[in-house]
Amino acid sequence: VRVTLTDALATARDPDARLASTFRLQEFEAIARERMTPAAFDYVAGGAGDETSLGENVAAWRRRILRPRVLVDVSTVDSSATVLGSRVAMPLAIAPMASHGLAHPDAEVAVARAAATAGVPFTLSTMSTRSIEEVAAAAPDGIRWFQLYIQEDRGLARAFTERAAAAGYRAIVLTVDLPVLGIRERDRRRGFTLDVPLGNFAGRTEFAGRTDPKASATDGYAMVAGVREASLVWADIATIRGWTDLPLVLKGILTAEDARLAVDHGADAIVVSNHGARQLDRVAAPIDVVEEVVAAVDGRAEVWVDGGARRGIDLVVARALGASCVLIGRPILWALAAGGEAGVDRALAILREELEVALALVGAATLSGIARTHVG
Ligand SMILES: Cc1cc2nc3c(=O)[nH]c(=O)nc-3n(C[C@H](O)[C@H](O)[C@H](O)COP(=O)(O)O)c2cc1C
């Protein structure tokens, strides 16, 4: 195919044509950079401190070497899996991310719809642009989980879990790695404060007058009072467990010690995560500590992983090391910025194809056919 200059220009002007010529998740980032304000782009792209862990998160996956097996019947490849009791088209979920509205006006509604179409779970952040109820109405049949940031006022936090349960969300994902906000220099340089509408708080009488007087540009982000709860401890987990019958997922664990505690305190799943390297710099890439966590958990809970996964192959690596689900963050927001719901459709289709081809070529017709020996 000969691409003329005119074709190239037409592609640049037509977002859909541009999507059709996007073949890898990383390519959405360049489009997003053109479409988002520099401050919003850097808020999404950035990490903490020197961004050492940010680079490591991606690099660690790529250091893993596959050990393909041949002459296995892969005439039918099935990438489906069961995650927290739900059947999913592939062992992947959309990571909770604040304020999708920074990427596209359709925000979480578009991503939740695309996730439902692709048959993968969508996780709604406490700090979302659209509300728990709006997203549920937009993707009623999709598998939806709710990510909880605990409030200083526990009654308010409990109200969130109850709203999520009432709106058909299937799990509470409690984020445990944000007692305080990490030091994100890109945001400080840009003066970025996440001063954007928050769908779960807007117009709710329970939050009236609760805007945090301490929240300022120097504090980091203008947030509702107590949304970052620095005094949350293990003893609180039993209380939170008692608020809902939904499965409880603890997100942001990086050690065997905490994984054991998480299971002892009733977690149904653990997300091995360093918050996309946005919190503490110089921690391990999550994929590098998955095996330690899997050994500590010893089958008592599901172990998931996130941070830097960018290819369908990464899902095979995660599975071989014992993680049953991979959460994907930034590339989904880049795809949203690039093409709204259609952009996220495209990103998920790329991942699905990459996963299916990877399964066939490592010699596993299904995910349960992936063994530890498929990765060196
Ligand atoms: C822009 C942005 C906002 C985020 N907001 C949240 C959030 O509200 N709650 C949360 O638990 N994690 C949040 N995270 C972390 C993600 O859930 C996830 O752990 C991380 O992005 C995975 O790494 P990846 O972006 O390299 O895929 C956020 C990440 C990004 C990039």
Side-chain angles (χ1 to χ4, degrees):
V1 182
R2 254 190 45 213
V3 179
T4 66
L5 184 61
T6 329
D7 290 339
L9 285 173
T11 303
R13 272 190 228 106
D14 174 357
D16 290 333
R18 227 170 145 190
L19 285 185
S21 59
T22 302
F23 297 102
R24 39 158 38 204
L25 255 54
Q26 292 94 323
E27 283 170 355
F28 291 106
E29 184 172 345
I31 308 176
R33 191 191 281 274
E34 293 168 20
R35 305 240 160 118
M36 295 171 71
T37 67
F41 178 86
D42 265 346
Y43 165 67
V44 176
D50 296 310
E51 300 191 338
T52 309
S53 294
L54 185 66
E56 260 298 291
N57 275 9
V58 174
W61 291 99
R62 296 178 183 189
R63 279 196 294 269
R64 301 284 172 165
I65 304 298
L66 294 167
R67 300 181 70 250
R69 301 298 308 276
V70 297
L71 297 175
V72 176
D73 180 1
V74 289
S75 48
T76 310
V77 170
D78 176 7
S79 66
S80 68
T82 300
V83 176
L84 224 54
S86 294
R87 200 70 196 157
V88 295
M90 49 183 165
L92 173 159
I94 313 291
M97 287 177 287
S99 300
H100 286 30
L102 293 169
H104 192 279
D106 295 342
E108 291 83 5
V109 159
V111 179
R113 281 202 184 123
T117 304
V120 300
F122 170 76
T123 318
L124 184 77
S125 167
T126 293
M127 312 299 286
S128 54
T129 305
R130 302 299 185 89
S131 71
I132 293 171
E133 292 80 11
E134 265 180 289
V135 171
D141 302 327
I143 302 162
R144 287 169 280 104
W145 301 333
F146 179 71
Q147 177 266 327
L148 181 66
Y149 277 135
I150 211 78
Q151 322 291 295
E152 205 165 37
D153 179 335
R154 298 296 153 83
L156 296 180
R158 180 178 188 151
F160 273 132
T161 62
E162 286 165 356
R163 280 170 68 185
Y169 289 70
R170 301 194 199 173
I172 299 297
V173 179
L174 178 70
T175 298
V176 294
D177 61 4
L178 207 138
V180 298
L181 194 74
I183 297 176
R184 304 176 190 172
E185 290 177 21
R186 295 199 207 196
D187 292 347
R188 292 184 176 195
R189 281 184 217 292
R190 301 261 190 212
F192 183 83
T193 59
L194 197 64
D195 188 12
V196 293
L198 297 173
N200 288 326
F201 298 87
R204 307 280 309 189
T205 50
E206 65 263 39
F207 297 109
R210 282 179 174 273
T211 303
D212 188 350
K214 295 189 300 273
S216 70
T218 48
D219 171 44
Y221 293 53
M223 281 193 188
V224 173
V227 74
R228 301 195 296 270
E229 174 53 299
S231 66
L232 189 71
V233 292
W234 286 107
D236 297 312
I237 299 299
T239 312
I240 296 166
R241 255 247 80 109
W243 290 344
T244 169
D245 293 333
L246 292 175
L248 181 67
V249 182
L250 296 194
K251 173 174 179 283
I253 282 175
L254 286 172
T255 61
E257 298 90 303
D258 280 343
R260 238 174 257 120
L261 282 167
V263 177
D264 291 346
H265 287 82
D268 297 286
I270 289 169
V271 189
V272 181
S273 171
N274 60 22
H275 211 104
R278 300 163 74 79
Q279 285 296 94
L280 182 62
D281 195 21
R282 294 200 230 159
V283 291
I287 190 61
D288 283 344
V289 293
V290 157
E291 286 197 284
E292 147 181 354
V293 168
V294 168
V297 166
D298 197 21
R300 293 178 296 159
E302 294 186 20
V303 176
W304 308 342
V305 62
D306 79 11
R310 302 291 179 260
R311 289 286 195 184
I313 286 177
D314 299 334
L315 308 190
V316 171
V317 169
R319 179 76 187 208
L321 300 178
S324 54
C325 183
V326 176
L327 275 57
I328 307 250
R330 293 176 182 86
I332 298 300
L333 286 186
W334 303 143
L336 176 66
E341 184 178 340
V344 183
D345 284 342
R346 176 89 184 159
L348 293 172
I350 289 170
L351 283 167
R352 172 81 181 261
E353 188 195 4
E354 287 177 352
L355 171 60
E356 287 175 351
V357 171
L359 284 170
L361 294 180
V362 298
T366 63
L367 282 154
S368 44
I370 296 289
R372 178 63 188 85
T373 50
H374 279 108
V375 170

